[in-house]
Amino acid sequence: MGGIIAATQTGQASRRRERMAATAQSTAYRGEPGYAQTAACLLCVQARDDEAVLLQDSHSIMALHGYITAASLQRQGLDSPDALKSSLDRGAQAILQRLDGEFSVVHFNNLASSLTFYCSTSATRPLYFQHTTAQTVVATEIRQLLGVGENRRAMNRTAWAQHILFGHQLLDMEDTLYHGIRRAHSGRIYQLDVRTGALKRHAFPQSLAIDDTITREEAEAKLVDTVDNAVLDALRPQHMGLALSGGLDSGLILALADRHLARQDDTARLSTYSIGFPGWSMDESAVIEETLCAQHRRGAFVDGTRHPPSSYFEHLSQATDLAPLALTDCYIEMLGPVMAKDDCRFRLSGLAGDLTLGFGLSYLAEYLRTGRVYKAIRDAVGFENRQPFSLTTALRRVYRLCRPAKQSQRPPPPAWLPAAQRPAFDAGLDRQADYVAQYGRSIGPRMLLIDAFRAGAWSDIAEQHAARWGMDLLSPLTHQSLIDLGFALPHDWLDGGSHNRRMIRDATAQLVPDSARAYRPKVAHNAFVTGDKALLRFADNPSEWRLVDEHLVSPEHLATTIGKSRSTGQIDLGLSTLLRAEHLARRFD
């Protein structure tokens, strides 16, 4: 495991080491800290094994958290973290955007009084920062920033309103739910001039050019080969645990990982962990057993019916200072204690495979290439979903801002939004319009779509779940090499609808059992939340809700939604979103 916290003060000496040490130690599951200090910058790194590196000489210091793939290092003529540091010392910061893997980097050049920080496009090693003209602090966790100076758990009210409407998709994609704390965009280089306090951002140069020289058969082989290389790069020498569902992504990772581990006669280095729901329609135990049988394995199973999701929500909010986003957060938390008991040091995950191996990126890129931006958002990968936490809904609303700024074209406020909160909602729209404008009319929409994917807040809680149980998250399907390939292939090869993720399903016929490759809607998983009676008990007193007290949700709408859920005996999914947000809201000052 590893974590980073860095602090600079403009034109002054760095913060006292004792205060920084106390901040770093606020996260009990991290390892012993190491320090590097110059006149204007102090870096603290907490690390175990090879997942964090701290390098220092008389001119500069660099902290690296996570791993960079060997192939991408070699392509840049680098052979070690020391070589990367030397490149950054020479001012070659753009090299960071040409590296692949799951990592974040903080680099301070003492001679140039320049602080650079960057997290890779995988979005699984996030960086948060707080920047003022007097001070900048960068950290891998929000709670580390909350421990600096006089910082309080103050609400970013505009972000909270957007969070409830869009789920985890905020209109200002650097925003967090905490006042004054920002989240670094994955793939974007941040450079701070410590002398002036000026902070510059350099966007990722994503190519949308389609490869019209490749055949369908060649593309299938290249897709599997790219995933195979990503899995190989992710494998660690210590004990790893794979969260194995009944789906294609984790089944493919298992097949490819076993192929590499078998060559080393070391398949025992990887164990699998699954969740069963005996008697429920969402149970995929039989499919999981078939996947295990194909690899001549036996895996550990946890009974998912023993504890409802409500038993995890408050627990997760306290553990991560983030709002649980989805049912998978509960699944991860179920497996954490079992993996920790088996001394797993790393958790392999199929996170974001539906985007990088599926139709999402390719479909949107096709519309961008042909200039049909608004149709891309109206149709967004075939979903016409009315749920308030839908990414599709968020993007559709956001893209209306790219049109002329007439009040009639603004998205209407949601029904649950109190009238007093409308100015904050409008302010968020204005801020997003300014964000688009800085890129210019021609590339603003394109950058916004890519940034929406790279905002990456969905990965933060998964990474912190793993760390809480003493593990580092490994997500090979988020690698930039797969993102590039997804943008380069014709969208009808990775079609949506009934042919969901057609190419990867066809390409893996010899690797993954048919049952795991078959398309199965995830709707049945909603029963895990909708049947949770404990959530209704939590909703008993709407007048005591923090979201109501802060005028973020109208009590009338909340009472109506709760009443509807009580009459049917099932939780409305929109109410579930509010319940998860309320658990976190109660932790704010």
Side-chain angles (χ1 to χ4, degrees):
M1 296 180 305
I4 301 171
I5 181 167
T8 69
Q9 285 193 306
T10 306
Q12 301 178 29
S14 177
R15 305 187 69 84
R16 293 176 61 231
R17 176 176 297 188
E18 291 77 9
R19 176 175 294 181
M20 189 65 72
T23 299
Q25 291 288 13
S26 67
T27 315
Y29 51 76
R30 296 297 188 191
E32 289 299 317
Y35 300 96
Q37 189 169 17
T38 71
C41 182
L42 171 64
L43 262 69
C44 173
V45 171
Q46 293 169 296
R48 275 170 44 184
D49 306 321
D50 62 345
E51 290 304 292
V53 175
L54 181 64
L55 302 171
Q56 180 180 28
D57 57 33
S58 59
H59 303 300
S60 62
I61 50 180
M62 185 188 81
L64 168 65
H65 175 211
Y67 70 93
I68 302 172
T69 66
S72 66
L73 281 170
Q74 291 169 2
R75 284 196 298 269
Q76 304 307 318
L78 306 175
D79 59 4
S80 67
D82 295 88
L84 173 60
K85 177 179 173 297
S86 297
S87 294
L88 298 180
D89 290 346
R90 296 192 298 270
Q93 272 69 22
I95 200 171
L96 293 168
Q97 295 176 320
R98 296 193 289 272
L99 299 176
D100 203 357
E102 302 176 60
F103 66 95
S104 54
V105 169
V106 179
H107 174 268
F108 181 74
N109 188 321
N110 196 41
L111 298 178
S113 294
S114 174
L115 178 75
T116 298
F117 53 99
Y118 174 84
C119 52
S120 61
T121 54
S122 70
T124 55
R125 295 295 188 275
L127 288 174
Y128 300 94
F129 67 97
Q130 187 175 53
H131 169 63
T132 67
T133 55
Q135 171 183 285
T136 299
V137 186
V138 182
T140 48
E141 296 180 17
I142 282 179
R143 66 180 54 195
Q144 293 173 319
L145 297 181
L146 294 172
V148 173
E150 304 300 321
N151 281 353
R152 299 165 50 250
R153 293 177 184 271
M155 279 188 169
N156 178 347
R157 296 178 58 81
T158 299
W160 269 94
Q162 296 164 9
H163 174 81
I164 295 168
L165 175 63
F166 301 138
H168 59 280
Q169 188 71 36
L170 303 181
L171 294 183
D172 180 342
M173 295 177 192
E174 281 186 359
D175 242 341
T176 72
L177 299 178
Y178 294 81
H179 177 71
I181 295 178
R182 311 284 281 168
R183 187 193 188 282
H185 259 302
S186 302
R188 177 166 295 175
I189 296 173
Y190 292 77
Q191 286 186 289
L192 171 73
D193 186 325
V194 176
R195 293 165 297 194
T196 65
L199 182 64
K200 295 181 179 180
R201 298 160 171 83
H202 304 277
F204 189 88
Q206 175 69 57
S207 171
L208 293 176
I210 195 168
D211 183 357
D212 55 7
T213 66
I214 192 171
T215 67
R216 170 66 184 264
E217 292 72 22
E218 291 171 338
E220 285 189 8
K222 185 173 182 179
L223 185 58
V224 173
D225 187 56
T226 305
V227 177
D228 189 41
N229 288 330
V231 170
L232 177 60
D233 282 319
L235 295 180
R236 319 318 280 160
Q238 296 87 3
H239 188 204
M240 299 170 288
L242 170 65
L244 182 66
S245 70
L248 170 62
D249 297 329
S250 58
L252 177 58
I253 290 174
L254 176 62
L256 296 174
D258 267 359
R259 192 162 67 180
H260 291 294
L261 294 173
R263 292 169 185 155
Q264 305 169 30
D265 195 23
D266 194 16
T267 55
R269 200 193 326 161
L270 177 65
S271 302
T272 69
Y273 301 85
S274 306
I275 301 173
F277 296 89
W280 290 19
S281 61
M282 61 190 287
D283 184 57
E284 297 187 342
S285 299
V287 179
I288 295 170
E289 289 285 10
E290 189 172 345
T291 301
L292 289 168
C293 184
Q295 299 303 126
H296 308 289
R297 278 183 170 272
R298 298 182 65 182
F301 277 80
V302 173
D303 186 348
T305 65
R306 295 181 61 184
H307 302 288
S310 57
S311 64
Y312 297 101
F313 288 160
E314 182 175 5
H315 178 71
L316 290 170
S317 297
Q318 291 177 349
T320 64
D321 289 305
L322 298 167
L325 302 176
L327 303 183
T328 51
D329 294 333
C330 299
Y331 299 162
I332 294 168
E333 190 67 8
M334 289 181 195
L335 297 178
V338 184
M339 290 183 171
K341 185 178 179 180
D342 288 351
D343 196 30
C344 290
R345 303 291 290 277
F346 298 91
R347 184 175 73 79
L348 271 170
S349 166
L351 185 72
D354 54 342
L355 279 175
T356 56
L357 301 184
F359 55 82
L361 296 177
S362 173
Y363 191 89
L364 294 174
E366 176 69 14
Y367 281 128
L368 290 171
R369 280 190 286 261
T370 57
R372 292 179 289 167
V373 174
Y374 306 114
K375 182 172 177 53
I377 303 308
R378 287 195 301 272
D379 296 346
V381 297
F383 292 116
E384 283 300 334
N385 188 336
R386 293 181 178 272
Q387 296 298 340
F389 46 84
S390 164
L391 176 62
T392 300
T393 303
L395 287 174
R396 187 163 55 244
R397 288 180 180 273
V398 165
Y399 265 83
R400 292 179 187 176
L401 300 171
C402 298
R403 298 174 178 177
K406 295 181 180 178
Q407 188 67 27
S408 61
Q409 293 179 332
R410 282 180 176 257
W416 49 260
L417 189 72
Q421 193 58 30
R422 179 61 195 258
F425 181 75
D426 287 342
L429 300 184
D430 290 338
R431 190 190 305 181
Q432 184 61 29
D434 291 341
Y435 175 78
V436 173
Q438 72 173 297
Y439 289 108
R441 186 172 303 225
S442 61
I443 65 171
R446 176 184 302 177
M447 287 303 306
L448 191 58
L449 249 188
I450 296 167
D451 284 350
F453 169 70
R454 292 217 173 94
W458 42 266
S459 69
D460 295 8
I461 200 164
E463 194 272 341
Q464 291 193 31
H465 282 182
R468 205 172 80 74
W469 294 106
M471 295 175 286
D472 265 307
L473 180 68
L474 303 171
S475 303
L477 303 187
T478 64
H479 282 199
Q480 180 63 33
S481 55
L482 284 165
I483 296 173
D484 288 337
L485 184 58
F487 273 122
L489 297 178
H491 79 283
D492 57 343
W493 290 0
L494 301 130
D495 208 353
S498 60
H499 300 293
N500 177 284
R501 306 174 68 190
R502 177 194 301 173
M503 177 173 285
I504 191 63
R505 295 185 192 279
D506 291 348
T508 55
Q510 304 303 314
L511 293 167
V512 183
D514 292 346
S515 57
R517 291 189 302 111
Y519 171 62
R520 297 187 300 281
K522 300 292 186 181
V523 176
H525 289 249
N526 294 340
F528 187 50
V529 161
T530 58
D532 186 355
K533 302 300 190 295
L535 282 177
L536 282 177
R537 290 193 292 273
F538 179 76
D540 272 338
N541 298 301
S543 61
E544 297 179 4
W545 275 43
R546 179 69 185 273
L547 295 179
V548 172
D549 187 52
E550 294 288 339
H551 303 290
L552 291 165
V553 176
S554 68
E556 296 80 12
H557 174 74
L558 185 60
T560 300
T561 305
I562 292 172
K564 179 181 176 182
S565 294
R566 288 196 184 285
S567 65
T568 62
Q570 288 194 321
I571 295 289
D572 176 84
L573 285 178
L575 178 58
S576 169
T577 301
L578 295 178
L579 287 163
R580 294 198 299 269
E582 175 66 13
H583 275 294
L584 181 62
R586 293 183 180 189
R587 291 181 50 76
F588 278 72
D589 296 334

